[in-house]
PDB file of all heavy atoms in Angstrom:
ATOM      1  N   SER P1381     -14.499 -13.039  -5.705  1.00  0.00           N
ATOM      2  CA  SER P1381     -15.858 -12.980  -6.223  1.00  0.00           C
ATOM      3  C   SER P1381     -16.742 -12.243  -5.223  1.00  0.00           C
ATOM      4  O   SER P1381     -16.534 -12.321  -4.006  1.00  0.00           O
ATOM      5  CB  SER P1381     -16.405 -14.387  -6.466  1.00  0.00           C
ATOM      6  OG  SER P1381     -17.789 -14.344  -6.759  1.00  0.00           O
ATOM      7  N   TYR P1382     -17.742 -11.551  -5.761  1.00  0.00           N
ATOM      8  CA  TYR P1382     -18.713 -10.882  -4.904  1.00  0.00           C
ATOM      9  C   TYR P1382     -19.903 -11.779  -4.576  1.00  0.00           C
ATOM     10  O   TYR P1382     -20.836 -11.360  -3.910  1.00  0.00           O
ATOM     11  CB  TYR P1382     -19.229  -9.607  -5.572  1.00  0.00           C
ATOM     12  CG  TYR P1382     -18.237  -8.472  -5.528  1.00  0.00           C
ATOM     13  CD1 TYR P1382     -17.491  -8.135  -6.652  1.00  0.00           C
ATOM     14  CD2 TYR P1382     -18.036  -7.740  -4.366  1.00  0.00           C
ATOM     15  CE1 TYR P1382     -16.571  -7.107  -6.619  1.00  0.00           C
ATOM     16  CE2 TYR P1382     -17.129  -6.706  -4.312  1.00  0.00           C
ATOM     17  CZ  TYR P1382     -16.392  -6.388  -5.439  1.00  0.00           C
ATOM     18  OH  TYR P1382     -15.478  -5.366  -5.398  1.00  0.00           O
ATOM     19  N   ALA P1383     -19.850 -13.016  -5.050  1.00  0.00           N
ATOM     20  CA  ALA P1383     -20.980 -13.912  -4.828  1.00  0.00           C
ATOM     21  C   ALA P1383     -21.199 -14.207  -3.354  1.00  0.00           C
ATOM     22  O   ALA P1383     -22.314 -14.496  -2.928  1.00  0.00           O
ATOM     23  CB  ALA P1383     -20.776 -15.212  -5.601  1.00  0.00           C
ATOM     24  N   LEU P1384     -20.114 -14.151  -2.549  1.00  0.00           N
ATOM     25  CA  LEU P1384     -20.247 -14.428  -1.120  1.00  0.00           C
ATOM     26  C   LEU P1384     -20.495 -13.176  -0.292  1.00  0.00           C
ATOM     27  O   LEU P1384     -20.531 -13.248   0.928  1.00  0.00           O
ATOM     28  CB  LEU P1384     -18.982 -15.118  -0.604  1.00  0.00           C
ATOM     29  CG  LEU P1384     -18.902 -16.629  -0.801  1.00  0.00           C
ATOM     30  CD1 LEU P1384     -17.638 -17.183  -0.167  1.00  0.00           C
ATOM     31  CD2 LEU P1384     -20.123 -17.319  -0.226  1.00  0.00           C
ATOM     32  N   LEU P1385     -20.672 -12.040  -0.960  1.00  0.00           N
ATOM     33  CA  LEU P1385     -20.888 -10.811  -0.207  1.00  0.00           C
ATOM     34  C   LEU P1385     -22.201 -10.858   0.568  1.00  0.00           C
ATOM     35  O   LEU P1385     -22.244 -10.487   1.751  1.00  0.00           O
ATOM     36  CB  LEU P1385     -20.883  -9.609  -1.158  1.00  0.00           C
ATOM     37  CG  LEU P1385     -21.007  -8.228  -0.485  1.00  0.00           C
ATOM     38  CD1 LEU P1385     -19.861  -8.014   0.501  1.00  0.00           C
ATOM     39  CD2 LEU P1385     -21.021  -7.130  -1.543  1.00  0.00           C
ATOM     40  N   ALA P1386     -23.262 -11.320  -0.080  1.00  0.00           N
ATOM     41  CA  ALA P1386     -24.556 -11.404   0.613  1.00  0.00           C
ATOM     42  C   ALA P1386     -24.519 -12.385   1.783  1.00  0.00           C
ATOM     43  O   ALA P1386     -24.955 -12.045   2.892  1.00  0.00           O
ATOM     44  CB  ALA P1386     -25.658 -11.785  -0.375  1.00  0.00           C
ATOM     45  N   PRO P1387     -23.987 -13.615   1.593  1.00  0.00           N
ATOM     46  CA  PRO P1387     -23.856 -14.510   2.764  1.00  0.00           C
ATOM     47  C   PRO P1387     -23.016 -13.905   3.876  1.00  0.00           C
ATOM     48  O   PRO P1387     -23.330 -14.066   5.061  1.00  0.00           O
ATOM     49  CB  PRO P1387     -23.200 -15.752   2.170  1.00  0.00           C
ATOM     50  CG  PRO P1387     -23.604 -15.755   0.736  1.00  0.00           C
ATOM     51  CD  PRO P1387     -23.640 -14.319   0.336  1.00  0.00           C
ATOM     52  N   ALA P1388     -21.932 -13.223   3.505  1.00  0.00           N
ATOM     53  CA  ALA P1388     -21.084 -12.612   4.526  1.00  0.00           C
ATOM     54  C   ALA P1388     -21.833 -11.518   5.277  1.00  0.00           C
ATOM     55  O   ALA P1388     -21.700 -11.391   6.502  1.00  0.00           O
ATOM     56  CB  ALA P1388     -19.819 -12.043   3.885  1.00  0.00           C
ATOM     57  N   MET P1389     -22.607 -10.723   4.568  1.00  0.00           N
ATOM     58  CA  MET P1389     -23.373  -9.663   5.219  1.00  0.00           C
ATOM     59  C   MET P1389     -24.361 -10.235   6.223  1.00  0.00           C
ATOM     60  O   MET P1389     -24.536  -9.706   7.334  1.00  0.00           O
ATOM     61  CB  MET P1389     -24.093  -8.819   4.174  1.00  0.00           C
ATOM     62  CG  MET P1389     -23.170  -7.999   3.295  1.00  0.00           C
ATOM     63  SD  MET P1389     -24.023  -7.158   1.931  1.00  0.00           S
ATOM     64  CE  MET P1389     -25.028  -5.989   2.839  1.00  0.00           C
ATOM     65  N   VAL P1390     -25.004 -11.333   5.856  1.00  0.00           N
ATOM     66  CA  VAL P1390     -25.977 -11.965   6.754  1.00  0.00           C
ATOM     67  C   VAL P1390     -25.278 -12.511   7.995  1.00  0.00           C
ATOM     68  O   VAL P1390     -25.665 -12.206   9.140  1.00  0.00           O
ATOM     69  CB  VAL P1390     -26.741 -13.086   6.020  1.00  0.00           C
ATOM     70  CG1 VAL P1390     -27.597 -13.875   7.007  1.00  0.00           C
ATOM     71  CG2 VAL P1390     -27.601 -12.505   4.910  1.00  0.00           C
ATOM     72  N   ALA P1391     -24.244 -13.328   7.793  1.00  0.00           N
ATOM     73  CA  ALA P1391     -23.578 -13.988   8.927  1.00  0.00           C
ATOM     74  C   ALA P1391     -22.841 -12.992   9.809  1.00  0.00           C
ATOM     75  O   ALA P1391     -22.951 -13.041  11.041  1.00  0.00           O
ATOM     76  CB  ALA P1391     -22.620 -15.050   8.403  1.00  0.00           C
ATOM     77  N   VAL P1392     -22.078 -12.100   9.193  1.00  0.00           N
ATOM     78  CA  VAL P1392     -21.312 -11.129   9.973  1.00  0.00           C
ATOM     79  C   VAL P1392     -22.254 -10.193  10.727  1.00  0.00           C
ATOM     80  O   VAL P1392     -22.021  -9.873  11.906  1.00  0.00           O
ATOM     81  CB  VAL P1392     -20.359 -10.333   9.066  1.00  0.00           C
ATOM     82  CG1 VAL P1392     -19.658  -9.224   9.865  1.00  0.00           C
ATOM     83  CG2 VAL P1392     -19.320 -11.252   8.448  1.00  0.00           C
ATOM     84  N   GLY P1393     -23.315  -9.749  10.060  1.00  0.00           N
ATOM     85  CA  GLY P1393     -24.253  -8.845  10.720  1.00  0.00           C
ATOM     86  C   GLY P1393     -24.897  -9.476  11.941  1.00  0.00           C
ATOM     87  O   GLY P1393     -24.994  -8.855  13.003  1.00  0.00           O
ATOM     88  N   ILE P1394     -25.341 -10.715  11.821  1.00  0.00           N
ATOM     89  CA  ILE P1394     -25.970 -11.393  12.954  1.00  0.00           C
ATOM     90  C   ILE P1394     -24.964 -11.622  14.078  1.00  0.00           C
ATOM     91  O   ILE P1394     -25.257 -11.384  15.259  1.00  0.00           O
ATOM     92  CB  ILE P1394     -26.590 -12.725  12.492  1.00  0.00           C
ATOM     93  CG1 ILE P1394     -27.777 -12.449  11.556  1.00  0.00           C
ATOM     94  CG2 ILE P1394     -27.039 -13.562  13.686  1.00  0.00           C
ATOM     95  CD1 ILE P1394     -28.385 -13.700  10.956  1.00  0.00           C
ATOM     96  N   SER P1395     -23.778 -12.088  13.727  1.00  0.00           N
ATOM     97  CA  SER P1395     -22.738 -12.310  14.735  1.00  0.00           C
ATOM     98  C   SER P1395     -22.384 -11.013  15.456  1.00  0.00           C
ATOM     99  O   SER P1395     -22.231 -10.982  16.682  1.00  0.00           O
ATOM    100  CB  SER P1395     -21.496 -12.901  14.073  1.00  0.00           C
ATOM    101  OG  SER P1395     -20.428 -13.000  14.979  1.00  0.00           O
ATOM    102  N   TYR P1396     -22.275  -9.933  14.701  1.00  0.00           N
ATOM    103  CA  TYR P1396     -21.919  -8.627  15.264  1.00  0.00           C
ATOM    104  C   TYR P1396     -22.954  -8.167  16.286  1.00  0.00           C
ATOM    105  O   TYR P1396     -22.622  -7.667  17.359  1.00  0.00           O
ATOM    106  CB  TYR P1396     -21.805  -7.630  14.116  1.00  0.00           C
ATOM    107  CG  TYR P1396     -21.502  -6.208  14.522  1.00  0.00           C
ATOM    108  CD1 TYR P1396     -20.191  -5.802  14.776  1.00  0.00           C
ATOM    109  CD2 TYR P1396     -22.508  -5.256  14.609  1.00  0.00           C
ATOM    110  CE1 TYR P1396     -19.904  -4.494  15.122  1.00  0.00           C
ATOM    111  CE2 TYR P1396     -22.235  -3.948  14.954  1.00  0.00           C
ATOM    112  CZ  TYR P1396     -20.933  -3.579  15.217  1.00  0.00           C
ATOM    113  OH  TYR P1396     -20.662  -2.283  15.566  1.00  0.00           O
ATOM    114  N   VAL P1397     -24.225  -8.353  15.953  1.00  0.00           N
ATOM    115  CA  VAL P1397     -25.291  -7.934  16.864  1.00  0.00           C
ATOM    116  C   VAL P1397     -25.297  -8.779  18.133  1.00  0.00           C
ATOM    117  O   VAL P1397     -25.471  -8.275  19.243  1.00  0.00           O
ATOM    118  CB  VAL P1397     -26.652  -8.009  16.148  1.00  0.00           C
ATOM    119  CG1 VAL P1397     -27.798  -7.795  17.138  1.00  0.00           C
ATOM    120  CG2 VAL P1397     -26.728  -6.978  15.026  1.00  0.00           C
ATOM    121  N   ILE P1398     -25.113 -10.088  17.978  1.00  0.00           N
ATOM    122  CA  ILE P1398     -25.137 -10.978  19.147  1.00  0.00           C
ATOM    123  C   ILE P1398     -23.960 -10.688  20.084  1.00  0.00           C
ATOM    124  O   ILE P1398     -24.126 -10.585  21.306  1.00  0.00           O
ATOM    125  CB  ILE P1398     -25.103 -12.456  18.694  1.00  0.00           C
ATOM    126  CG1 ILE P1398     -26.407 -12.818  17.977  1.00  0.00           C
ATOM    127  CG2 ILE P1398     -24.884 -13.378  19.895  1.00  0.00           C
ATOM    128  CD1 ILE P1398     -26.418 -14.216  17.390  1.00  0.00           C
ATOM    129  N   ILE P1399     -22.777 -10.541  19.525  1.00  0.00           N
ATOM    130  CA  ILE P1399     -21.585 -10.320  20.346  1.00  0.00           C
ATOM    131  C   ILE P1399     -21.612  -8.951  21.011  1.00  0.00           C
ATOM    132  O   ILE P1399     -21.113  -8.777  22.126  1.00  0.00           O
ATOM    133  CB  ILE P1399     -20.318 -10.491  19.492  1.00  0.00           C
ATOM    134  CG1 ILE P1399     -20.200 -11.949  19.031  1.00  0.00           C
ATOM    135  CG2 ILE P1399     -19.069 -10.093  20.268  1.00  0.00           C
ATOM    136  CD1 ILE P1399     -19.059 -12.206  18.069  1.00  0.00           C
ATOM    137  N   ASN P1400     -22.200  -7.984  20.354  1.00  0.00           N
ATOM    138  CA  ASN P1400     -22.343  -6.633  20.897  1.00  0.00           C
ATOM    139  C   ASN P1400     -20.971  -6.075  21.280  1.00  0.00           C
ATOM    140  O   ASN P1400     -20.044  -6.117  20.474  1.00  0.00           O
ATOM    141  CB  ASN P1400     -23.309  -6.647  22.079  1.00  0.00           C
ATOM    142  CG  ASN P1400     -23.867  -5.274  22.397  1.00  0.00           C
ATOM    143  OD1 ASN P1400     -23.626  -4.313  21.674  1.00  0.00           O
ATOM    144  ND2 ASN P1400     -24.619  -5.173  23.462  1.00  0.00           N
ATOM    145  N   ASN P1401     -20.803  -5.581  22.495  1.00  0.00           N
ATOM    146  CA  ASN P1401     -19.546  -4.954  22.896  1.00  0.00           C
ATOM    147  C   ASN P1401     -18.578  -5.915  23.578  1.00  0.00           C
ATOM    148  O   ASN P1401     -17.626  -5.472  24.232  1.00  0.00           O
ATOM    149  CB  ASN P1401     -19.816  -3.767  23.827  1.00  0.00           C
ATOM    150  CG  ASN P1401     -20.370  -2.572  23.076  1.00  0.00           C
ATOM    151  OD1 ASN P1401     -20.264  -2.485  21.856  1.00  0.00           O
ATOM    152  ND2 ASN P1401     -20.984  -1.656  23.793  1.00  0.00           N
ATOM    153  N   ASN P1402     -18.803  -7.206  23.464  1.00  0.00           N
ATOM    154  CA  ASN P1402     -17.901  -8.189  24.056  1.00  0.00           C
ATOM    155  C   ASN P1402     -16.695  -8.393  23.141  1.00  0.00           C
ATOM    156  O   ASN P1402     -16.533  -9.433  22.500  1.00  0.00           O
ATOM    157  CB  ASN P1402     -18.639  -9.508  24.287  1.00  0.00           C
ATOM    158  CG  ASN P1402     -19.733  -9.386  25.308  1.00  0.00           C
ATOM    159  OD1 ASN P1402     -19.475  -9.401  26.505  1.00  0.00           O
ATOM    160  ND2 ASN P1402     -20.973  -9.231  24.843  1.00  0.00           N
ATOM    161  N   THR P1403     -15.860  -7.406  23.083  1.00  0.00           N
ATOM    162  CA  THR P1403     -14.736  -7.398  22.153  1.00  0.00           C
ATOM    163  C   THR P1403     -13.550  -8.193  22.681  1.00  0.00           C
ATOM    164  O   THR P1403     -13.355  -8.307  23.895  1.00  0.00           O
ATOM    165  CB  THR P1403     -14.298  -5.956  21.856  1.00  0.00           C
ATOM    166  OG1 THR P1403     -13.139  -5.966  21.034  1.00  0.00           O
ATOM    167  CG2 THR P1403     -13.982  -5.210  23.144  1.00  0.00           C
ATOM    168  N   ILE P1404     -12.771  -8.731  21.762  1.00  0.00           N
ATOM    169  CA  ILE P1404     -11.542  -9.430  22.129  1.00  0.00           C
ATOM    170  C   ILE P1404     -10.416  -8.442  22.380  1.00  0.00           C
ATOM    171  O   ILE P1404      -9.390  -8.789  22.971  1.00  0.00           O
ATOM    172  CB  ILE P1404     -11.141 -10.436  21.018  1.00  0.00           C
ATOM    173  CG1 ILE P1404     -10.098 -11.447  21.528  1.00  0.00           C
ATOM    174  CG2 ILE P1404     -10.636  -9.699  19.791  1.00  0.00           C
ATOM    175  CD1 ILE P1404     -10.599 -12.363  22.593  1.00  0.00           C
ATOM    176  N   TYR P1405     -10.590  -7.195  21.942  1.00  0.00           N
ATOM    177  CA  TYR P1405      -9.583  -6.153  22.139  1.00  0.00           C
ATOM    178  C   TYR P1405     -10.082  -5.210  23.221  1.00  0.00           C
ATOM    179  O   TYR P1405     -10.839  -4.274  22.955  1.00  0.00           O
ATOM    180  CB  TYR P1405      -9.332  -5.387  20.839  1.00  0.00           C
ATOM    181  CG  TYR P1405      -8.770  -6.236  19.727  1.00  0.00           C
ATOM    182  CD1 TYR P1405      -9.532  -6.515  18.595  1.00  0.00           C
ATOM    183  CD2 TYR P1405      -7.486  -6.760  19.797  1.00  0.00           C
ATOM    184  CE1 TYR P1405      -9.018  -7.294  17.564  1.00  0.00           C
ATOM    185  CE2 TYR P1405      -6.963  -7.541  18.771  1.00  0.00           C
ATOM    186  CZ  TYR P1405      -7.739  -7.803  17.663  1.00  0.00           C
ATOM    187  OH  TYR P1405      -7.229  -8.587  16.658  1.00  0.00           O
ATOM    188  N   GLU P1406      -9.668  -5.441  24.454  1.00  0.00           N
ATOM    189  CA  GLU P1406     -10.187  -4.656  25.563  1.00  0.00           C
ATOM    190  C   GLU P1406      -9.733  -3.198  25.515  1.00  0.00           C
ATOM    191  O   GLU P1406     -10.309  -2.353  26.197  1.00  0.00           O
ATOM    192  CB  GLU P1406      -9.771  -5.270  26.895  1.00  0.00           C
ATOM    193  CG  GLU P1406      -8.283  -5.277  27.161  1.00  0.00           C
ATOM    194  CD  GLU P1406      -7.936  -5.814  28.533  1.00  0.00           C
ATOM    195  OE1 GLU P1406      -8.873  -6.142  29.287  1.00  0.00           O
ATOM    196  OE2 GLU P1406      -6.738  -5.916  28.850  1.00  0.00           O
ATOM    197  N   SER P1407      -8.716  -2.890  24.727  1.00  0.00           N
ATOM    198  CA  SER P1407      -8.255  -1.509  24.624  1.00  0.00           C
ATOM    199  C   SER P1407      -9.121  -0.667  23.695  1.00  0.00           C
ATOM    200  O   SER P1407      -8.925   0.548  23.610  1.00  0.00           O
ATOM    201  CB  SER P1407      -6.803  -1.472  24.140  1.00  0.00           C
ATOM    202  OG  SER P1407      -6.675  -2.091  22.874  1.00  0.00           O
ATOM    203  N   GLN P1408     -10.048  -1.289  22.987  1.00  0.00           N
ATOM    204  CA  GLN P1408     -10.946  -0.522  22.130  1.00  0.00           C
ATOM    205  C   GLN P1408     -11.807   0.411  22.988  1.00  0.00           C
ATOM    206  O   GLN P1408     -12.332   0.000  24.021  1.00  0.00           O
ATOM    207  CB  GLN P1408     -11.860  -1.453  21.327  1.00  0.00           C
ATOM    208  CG  GLN P1408     -11.200  -2.153  20.159  1.00  0.00           C
ATOM    209  CD  GLN P1408     -12.164  -3.088  19.446  1.00  0.00           C
ATOM    210  OE1 GLN P1408     -13.043  -3.675  20.057  1.00  0.00           O
ATOM    211  NE2 GLN P1408     -11.993  -3.239  18.143  1.00  0.00           N
ATOM    212  N   VAL P1409     -11.942   1.646  22.543  1.00  0.00           N
ATOM    213  CA  VAL P1409     -12.838   2.580  23.213  1.00  0.00           C
ATOM    214  C   VAL P1409     -14.149   2.630  22.446  1.00  0.00           C
ATOM    215  O   VAL P1409     -14.258   2.135  21.332  1.00  0.00           O
ATOM    216  CB  VAL P1409     -12.217   3.981  23.319  1.00  0.00           C
ATOM    217  CG1 VAL P1409     -11.003   3.960  24.235  1.00  0.00           C
ATOM    218  CG2 VAL P1409     -11.829   4.503  21.940  1.00  0.00           C
ATOM    219  N   GLN P1410     -15.146   3.239  23.057  1.00  0.00           N
ATOM    220  CA  GLN P1410     -16.474   3.206  22.475  1.00  0.00           C
ATOM    221  C   GLN P1410     -16.523   3.825  21.088  1.00  0.00           C
ATOM    222  O   GLN P1410     -17.095   3.264  20.157  1.00  0.00           O
ATOM    223  CB  GLN P1410     -17.471   3.924  23.392  1.00  0.00           C
ATOM    224  CG  GLN P1410     -18.924   3.846  22.945  1.00  0.00           C
ATOM    225  CD  GLN P1410     -19.463   2.433  22.979  1.00  0.00           C
ATOM    226  OE1 GLN P1410     -19.168   1.674  23.899  1.00  0.00           O
ATOM    227  NE2 GLN P1410     -20.244   2.061  21.983  1.00  0.00           N
ATOM    228  N   SER P1411     -15.910   4.985  20.933  1.00  0.00           N
ATOM    229  CA  SER P1411     -15.950   5.704  19.659  1.00  0.00           C
ATOM    230  C   SER P1411     -14.827   6.732  19.650  1.00  0.00           C
ATOM    231  O   SER P1411     -14.196   6.973  20.688  1.00  0.00           O
ATOM    232  CB  SER P1411     -17.308   6.395  19.479  1.00  0.00           C
ATOM    233  OG  SER P1411     -17.455   7.443  20.426  1.00  0.00           O
ATOM    234  N   PRO P1412     -14.561   7.370  18.509  1.00  0.00           N
ATOM    235  CA  PRO P1412     -13.539   8.426  18.505  1.00  0.00           C
ATOM    236  C   PRO P1412     -13.806   9.530  19.512  1.00  0.00           C
ATOM    237  O   PRO P1412     -12.871  10.105  20.058  1.00  0.00           O
ATOM    238  CB  PRO P1412     -13.602   8.952  17.057  1.00  0.00           C
ATOM    239  CG  PRO P1412     -14.072   7.778  16.259  1.00  0.00           C
ATOM    240  CD  PRO P1412     -15.048   7.043  17.148  1.00  0.00           C
TER     241      PRO P1412
END
């Protein structure tokens, strides 16, 4: 269902901003 898309966008977006570049995958590079 797409009913949880809006809640997911809110929660994931806020979490993403707070965590910033503190990634669990240290091999990730900044960008291509």
Side-chain angles (χ1 to χ4, degrees):
S1381 170
Y1382 284 103
L1384 276 183
L1385 184 59
M1389 292 173 67
V1390 172
V1392 174
I1394 292 175
S1395 174
Y1396 177 83
V1397 171
I1398 292 175
I1399 294 174
N1400 199 6
N1401 286 342
N1402 295 280
T1403 175
I1404 196 66
Y1405 297 112
E1406 64 176 358
S1407 59
Q1408 284 178 327
V1409 294
Q1410 185 65 40
S1411 68

